[in-house]
């Protein structure tokens, strides 16, 4: 199969052109706007829907659909009544490292805002997932994730009270939970991790500050210490338009 000489590595095959060669009108407009985005810098405004529809000779709804997809892909962002070029996505490594470490490696300032810190008896479902005992006291720590003060995700952490009995008194909610555990002498051994694509619930969308229709990346992680004992259970919800994930594989 022949590909265009300017086909970017990793781009969709044949830049998304179907084998029958008929390109949806909105997609042709999207491709042209995408090229424009590549020429502009982060934060630069793009022309209005009216200007784009006149330039490309298409209906405003066609332009609107193209812009909507580019926003969902994270290449554009809504700002006020206009649309601007978005910055690169945050790349989070799939490893036993904290969110704080991953964001700092990219020159961004991490942060978290506390939503709640509750203590309750471990329910059956959590006990089955983690190996904790049913009814065992458990902390639930919920925080909004920030990058340069922009809300980008929501994190729920479950950990046995016996592991961190003074979490409510000693832990700074804006800091790294992993650094806090290491400071207590608790080490990570291994973890099971699962990633899926979901839509945020109305509550989650409100906390993160996104429309409910925006795709999210959901990571489930169950971590253990070097002796194989349960350490934490984390549910991390990341904005699909602001995050990508990477891993190094060994054969």
């Amino acid at each position: 199969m022949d590909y265009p000489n300017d086909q970017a590595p990793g781009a969709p095959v044949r830049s998304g052109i179907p084998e029958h060669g008929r390109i949806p009108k909105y997609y042709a407009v999207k491709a042209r706007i995408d090229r424009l985005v590549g020429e502009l810098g982060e934060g630069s405004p793009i022309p209005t829907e009216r200007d784009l529809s006149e330039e490309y000779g298409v209906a405003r709804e066609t332009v609107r659909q193209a812009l909507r997809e580019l926003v969902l892909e994270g290449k554009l962002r809504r700002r006020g009544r206009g649309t601007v070029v978005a910055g690169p996505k945050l790349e989070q490594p799939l490893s036993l490292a904290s969110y704080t470490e991953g964001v700092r490696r990219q020159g961004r300032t991490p942060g978290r805002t506390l939503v709640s810190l509750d203590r309750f008896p471990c329910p059956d479902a959590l006990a089955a997932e983690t190996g904790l005992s049913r009814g065992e006291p458990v902390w639930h720590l919920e925080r909004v994730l920030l990058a340069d003060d922009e809300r980008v995700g929501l994190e729920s952490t479950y950990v046995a009270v016996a592991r961190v009995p003074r979490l409510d008194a000693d832990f700074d909610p804006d800091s790294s939970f992993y650094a806090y555990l290491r400071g207590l002498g608790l080490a990570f051994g291994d973890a099971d991790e699962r990633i899926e694509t979901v839509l945020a619930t109305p509550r989650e969308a409100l906390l993160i500050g996104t429309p409910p229709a925006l795709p999210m990346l959901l990571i489930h992680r169950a971590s253990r210490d070097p002796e194989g004992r349960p350490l934490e259970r984390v549910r991390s919800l990341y904005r699909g338009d602001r995050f990508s994930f990477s891993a190094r594989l060994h054969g």
Side-chain angles (χ1 to χ4, degrees):
M1 180 182 294
D2 294 327
Y3 299 104
N5 292 331
D6 61 350
Q7 177 77 53
V13 175
R14 291 175 54 130
S15 297
I17 302 173
E19 275 63 30
H20 55 55
R22 295 189 296 274
I23 306 172
K25 187 175 292 185
Y26 88 90
Y27 190 88
V29 171
K30 175 185 172 183
R32 297 179 70 175
I33 298 175
D34 196 11
R35 286 195 293 271
L36 176 63
V37 167
E39 298 168 0
L40 300 173
E42 180 179 349
S44 299
I46 67 167
T48 64
E49 290 181 3
R50 175 181 294 178
D51 291 341
L52 289 170
S53 65
E54 290 178 356
E55 180 178 351
Y56 300 145
V58 297
R60 290 184 64 175
E61 179 55 37
T62 301
V63 171
R64 191 170 297 123
Q65 183 177 357
L67 293 176
R68 188 160 48 238
E69 288 201 2
L70 289 169
V71 169
L72 287 175
E73 292 174 5
K75 296 179 179 180
L76 295 176
R77 296 177 62 189
R78 303 294 188 187
R79 178 178 291 174
R81 297 173 62 90
T83 305
V84 301
V85 176
K89 289 187 178 184
L90 288 160
E91 185 178 310
Q92 191 76 348
L94 292 173
S95 64
L96 276 172
S98 73
Y99 167 80
T100 299
E101 295 164 353
V103 173
R104 280 179 176 161
R105 276 198 294 267
Q106 296 170 79
R108 306 287 291 276
T109 302
R112 291 180 173 90
T113 300
L114 179 67
V115 177
S116 63
L117 175 58
D118 303 308
R119 172 176 170 161
F120 55 84
C122 182
D124 290 337
L126 183 60
E129 283 188 1
T130 61
L132 296 173
S133 301
R134 179 181 180 275
E136 178 181 356
V138 170
W139 293 113
H140 173 222
L141 173 65
E142 185 177 37
R143 297 179 293 174
V144 174
L145 304 176
L146 307 173
D148 291 342
D149 294 324
E150 176 189 11
R151 288 179 286 174
V152 293
L154 184 67
E155 182 181 75
S156 289
T157 302
Y158 301 87
V159 60
V161 172
R163 289 283 199 169
V164 285
R166 293 182 52 81
L167 184 66
D168 58 340
D170 297 342
F171 178 63
D172 176 6
D174 188 36
S175 65
S176 166
F177 182 64
Y178 281 18
Y180 174 72
L181 292 180
R182 287 193 290 265
L184 295 176
L186 297 173
F188 286 90
D190 60 11
D192 295 321
E193 196 159 79
R194 176 167 56 89
I195 304 176
E196 58 182 309
T197 304
V198 299
L199 296 178
T201 66
R203 175 181 179 272
E204 291 167 338
L206 183 64
L207 287 170
I208 302 173
T210 61
L214 182 70
M216 296 282 180
L217 295 168
L218 175 60
I219 294 187
H220 302 271
R221 176 185 289 179
S223 305
R224 294 170 289 272
D225 65 16
E227 286 72 46
R229 295 175 299 180
L231 189 52
E232 62 159 2
R233 165 69 164 86
V234 182
R235 181 184 186 275
S236 300
L237 193 65
Y238 296 95
R239 288 178 52 166
D241 64 334
R242 301 301 297 131
F243 270 90
S244 66
F245 291 88
S246 63
R248 174 170 292 181
L249 308 178
H250 299 278

